[in-house]
Amino acid sequence: MLRALAISLCLTLVPLPAIADTGHDSAGIQLADSAGINVVVTVVHARKREGGVAPELSKLDKYLVKSFPNYKSFSQLATSKQRLAIGATGKLTLANGSELVFEHTGWKDGYAALHLDVGGLTSTVNVKDGGTFFQAGRGYDGGMIVLAFEVSAAR
């Protein structure tokens, strides 16, 4: 469990325009008027054996390799595109049976707040329009699941 938490917190190390905030208290988040978000969740299977990065993950290639240096193979398991209004939730069942639930809780200082619950592990991430971040650490088939979130303001 500590390993999973440590790996999931790697999102604070990813050099992308996202800010991680542990916990799930949405106090202090200022709600924007009807400003929703588009969320693309890419489910990646990371393994330690050689294999490279699958072509469909090319736009995440350098971030995956740098953020997860102990893993040498990255393949796409699934992708989901959802539009969320403030207060709306998205759900996705992962390949290992865990459920991902994410909720757009509003805006804070120009960042969209996204509350995550992955099989009971919760966190809240504040991400800029167009930002990408990772949540990782759940084991699957000799490797782990990496979730790549791409968030943009709904237009």
Side-chain angles (χ1 to χ4, degrees):
M1 181 66 167
L2 288 176
R3 180 177 180 270
L5 180 59
I7 291 172
S8 71
L9 292 178
C10 77
L11 60 93
T12 61
L13 303 175
V14 177
L16 302 170
I19 297 174
D21 181 19
T22 59
H24 63 284
D25 183 9
S26 61
I29 293 179
Q30 302 166 355
L31 299 180
D33 48 55
S34 72
I37 57 174
N38 294 313
V39 181
V40 177
V41 181
T42 303
V43 183
V44 178
H45 186 205
R47 292 184 176 181
K48 292 186 177 186
R49 65 174 169 79
E50 292 297 325
V53 179
E56 61 270 19
L57 298 172
S58 62
K59 68 181 177 177
L60 298 172
D61 186 331
K62 66 181 177 179
Y63 302 116
L64 289 167
V65 171
K66 184 175 181 178
S67 299
F68 306 100
N70 293 330
Y71 293 84
K72 307 297 182 203
S73 173
F74 300 92
S75 59
Q76 182 174 304
L77 296 174
T79 188
S80 171
K81 298 176 184 179
Q82 298 187 36
R83 184 179 211 141
L84 300 178
I86 294 173
T89 60
K91 293 183 181 182
L92 183 63
T93 300
L94 305 178
N96 65 357
S98 295
E99 184 172 53
L100 164 65
V101 179
F102 49 100
E103 177 185 2
H104 176 30
T105 58
W107 293 88
K108 182 178 181 180
D109 300 326
Y111 290 79
L114 195 61
H115 176 72
L116 310 176
D117 183 330
V118 185
L121 179 64
T122 63
S123 62
T124 298
V125 178
N126 297 324
V127 61
K128 278 189 174 183
D129 182 16
T132 300
F133 68 92
F134 296 111
Q135 193 286 335
R138 296 291 180 173
Y140 175 69
D141 194 24
M144 74 171 173
I145 291 178
V146 175
L147 302 173
F149 291 83
E150 300 170 67
V151 180
S152 61
R155 292 174 176 45

